[in-house]
């Protein structure tokens, strides 16, 4: 399967998740959309999707997923803001006893998360 078709499948999955119309569904859909945007090199869109996902996960008490979204956003934003976001994400994950935050984030939010790669 071509990568473009996999991204289209991911977008379809995001739409299906949104149709669940549950408090948790929108943040998960936005996390998927963030991964797609990052893979396409659309950093501004990925950052927006991650911000929305993070807020939604926090509102539904899904701290681990909020930390994943924050970790990914930190990678894209970079600079001092990114360092602060990364410190927050890693602190949450350390408290939750996540042994390898980067590996966990790759499982939950795969993609290309280096802002300079776009």
């Amino acid at each position: 399967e071509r990568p473009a078709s996999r991204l289209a499948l991911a977008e379809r999955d995001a739409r299906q998740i949104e149709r669940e119309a549950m408090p948790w569904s929108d943040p998960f859909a936005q996390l998927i959309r963030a991964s797609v945007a990052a893979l396409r090199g659309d950093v501004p869109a990925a950052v927006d999707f991650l911000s929305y996902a993070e807020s939604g996960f926090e509102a539904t008490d899904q701290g681990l997923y909020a930390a994943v979204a924050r970790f990914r956003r930190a990678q894209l934003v970079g600079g001092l803001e990114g360092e602060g976001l990364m410190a927050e994400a890693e602190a949450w994950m350390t408290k939750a006893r996540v042994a390898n935050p980067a590996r966990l984030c790759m499982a939950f939010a795969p993609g290309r998360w280096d802002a300079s790669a776009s």
Side-chain angles (χ1 to χ4, degrees):
E1 231 177 296
R2 295 175 321 144
S5 63
R6 283 181 271 189
L7 295 180
L9 288 173
E11 290 175 317
R12 184 200 66 198
D13 291 344
R15 286 190 300 275
Q16 288 177 328
I17 290 168
E18 280 177 325
R19 283 189 214 113
E20 294 291 323
M22 299 296 293
W24 54 264
S25 58
D26 279 352
F28 277 106
Q30 299 309 317
L31 188 60
I32 292 168
R33 285 195 172 94
S35 288
V36 170
L39 284 165
R40 287 187 172 139
D42 188 347
V43 172
V47 169
D48 287 345
F49 288 133
L50 288 168
S51 294
Y52 184 87
E54 185 181 336
S55 296
F57 287 132
E58 287 175 347
T60 56
D61 293 324
Q62 296 188 58
L64 179 61
Y65 287 102
V68 167
R70 189 174 300 122
F71 186 101
R72 290 304 196 201
R73 192 161 57 97
Q75 290 177 296
L76 293 179
V77 169
L80 290 176
E81 181 184 358
E83 288 175 21
L85 292 167
M86 184 63 73
E88 289 176 33
E90 288 181 335
W92 195 100
M93 290 187 203
T94 298
K95 186 176 179 184
R97 298 185 179 170
V98 173
N100 189 330
R103 185 172 292 171
L104 178 83
C105 289
M106 186 52 76
F108 288 175
R112 186 181 320 125
W113 300 101
D114 179 3
S116 66
S118 57

